[in-house]
Amino acid sequence: MRRPFIAGNWKMHGSRAQNAELIEGLLLGLPGQVPVDIAVCPPDVYLWEVGRLLKDSIVKLGAQTVCAESIGAFTGETSAAMLKDVGCTYVIVGHSERRTIYREDDALVARKFLAAQSQSLIPILCVGETLEEREKGQTMQVISRQLKAVLDVAAPGALQQAVVAYEPVWAIGTGKNATPEQAQEVHAHIRAEVAARDANIAARLQVLYGGSVKAGNAKEIFAMPDVDGGLIGGAALKADEFLKICAAAQAH
Ligand code: PGA
């Protein structure tokens, strides 16, 4: 059986004081063991300190992006080895904000995926269609293209050490989540695409849903058979809300 996974993507939010308060709230509300994988992804500059605050807890540390290059003259970038060095377990790659605002294309996302795995970081690979693509009936095509870009360059078996997040762009930060049925349809498609290459890996792959998940809608989304948890943006910034989402994942 797949363990549920809840990851908080803090995006460019927080301060040292706010982070400490949020982590304190999370740790107070979490028992020592839960049947859910949990991670938080703060901005890079706070990774080290948040990692110290999380120390010995069940909550893992993740980053929001990574440089595709391993070392050298890349001003402003952070390598996978550096993320590993400060205690990261996970790194998000291909988030739609990176794809759209910073023009990261499929090929670059695939290189970032490989860079992460080269340092034994677990990539959380985001895929998702825009509203325009959905309205044109291109959703599955877009998801397949984004997945293929990674699967074609990664070693066979690479998805054994990876997570996929389906994040419809139109649902991110808009308060407009995909319906559980819309999410299930795409999640099943993702699993089928992976199964076409390796059925065992597909059966074990954690596929998260992201896009306006809140305490109030988490349960019905996580109830879908191919939804294994969520990548949470806005609702990850409040301890009680995030804890409720973790509890909703646990219920399945
Ligand atoms: P949201 O963001 O939950 O605020 O919609 C999700 C994400 O971008 O990962």
Side-chain angles (χ1 to χ4, degrees):
M1 270 317 286
R2 297 185 295 270
R3 266 170 77 86
F5 179 25
I6 302 296
N9 174 10
W10 293 4
K11 309 193 180 182
M12 200 168 72
H13 293 287
S15 66
R16 294 182 64 201
Q18 287 169 350
N19 301 344
E21 195 184 321
L22 177 50
I23 296 301
E24 190 188 359
L26 287 184
L27 298 185
L28 276 174
L30 284 171
Q33 292 296 325
V34 286
V36 181
D37 295 333
I38 302 172
V40 293
C41 305
D44 280 2
V45 70
Y46 297 126
L47 283 170
W48 170 255
E49 189 168 43
V50 171
R52 295 305 92 194
L53 295 170
L54 291 174
K55 204 161 174 53
D56 299 328
S57 81
I58 55 168
V59 181
K60 301 278 187 261
L61 189 66
Q64 300 173 13
T65 185
V66 62
C67 185
E69 309 295 338
S70 58
I71 191 167
F74 301 100
T75 302
E77 294 289 301
T78 303
S79 72
M82 292 169 185
L83 296 180
K84 189 77 187 172
D85 194 30
V86 296
C88 287
T89 301
Y90 295 97
V91 59
I92 299 169
V93 299
H95 189 279
S96 67
E97 284 149 20
R98 302 293 319 176
R99 291 181 189 262
T100 313
I101 306 169
Y102 299 100
R103 308 276 152 98
E104 294 187 6
D105 60 12
D106 289 339
L108 180 59
V109 172
R111 290 181 56 227
K112 292 186 172 212
F113 182 98
L114 298 182
Q117 286 199 330
S118 76
Q119 294 297 323
S120 305
L121 291 167
I122 301 174
I124 301 173
L125 170 66
C126 298
V127 296
E129 81 288 2
T130 62
L131 184 59
E132 193 188 347
E133 288 162 342
R134 175 162 281 268
E135 285 172 346
K136 283 188 186 154
Q138 296 170 344
T139 299
M140 302 307 174
Q141 215 177 306
V142 170
I143 303 297
S144 297
R145 190 202 75 223
Q146 291 173 337
L147 273 178
K148 185 177 186 304
V150 170
L151 292 173
D152 281 356
V153 297
L159 283 202
Q160 217 158 351
Q161 292 300 327
V163 174
V164 175
Y166 168 53
E167 298 212 309
V169 178
W170 48 272
I172 296 176
T174 57
K176 193 172 174 239
N177 60 285
T179 65
E181 293 73 23
Q182 283 172 325
Q184 170 58 26
E185 189 186 16
V186 178
H187 282 231
H189 177 74
I190 290 169
R191 209 175 296 285
E193 290 279 73
V194 177
R197 299 184 190 230
D198 190 316
N200 280 326
I201 289 177
R204 287 197 297 260
L205 178 68
Q206 289 169 318
V207 185
L208 313 184
Y209 168 78
S212 298
V213 178
K214 304 180 270 291
N217 61 19
K219 220 173 187 153
E220 54 175 24
I221 297 172
F222 299 162
M224 303 315 279
D226 285 296
V227 178
D228 305 311
L231 181 53
I232 318 299
L237 299 172
K238 294 189 202 105
D240 59 336
E241 185 83 4
F242 192 68
L243 287 168
K244 282 183 194 154
I245 293 170
C246 293
Q250 193 172 339
H252 295 282

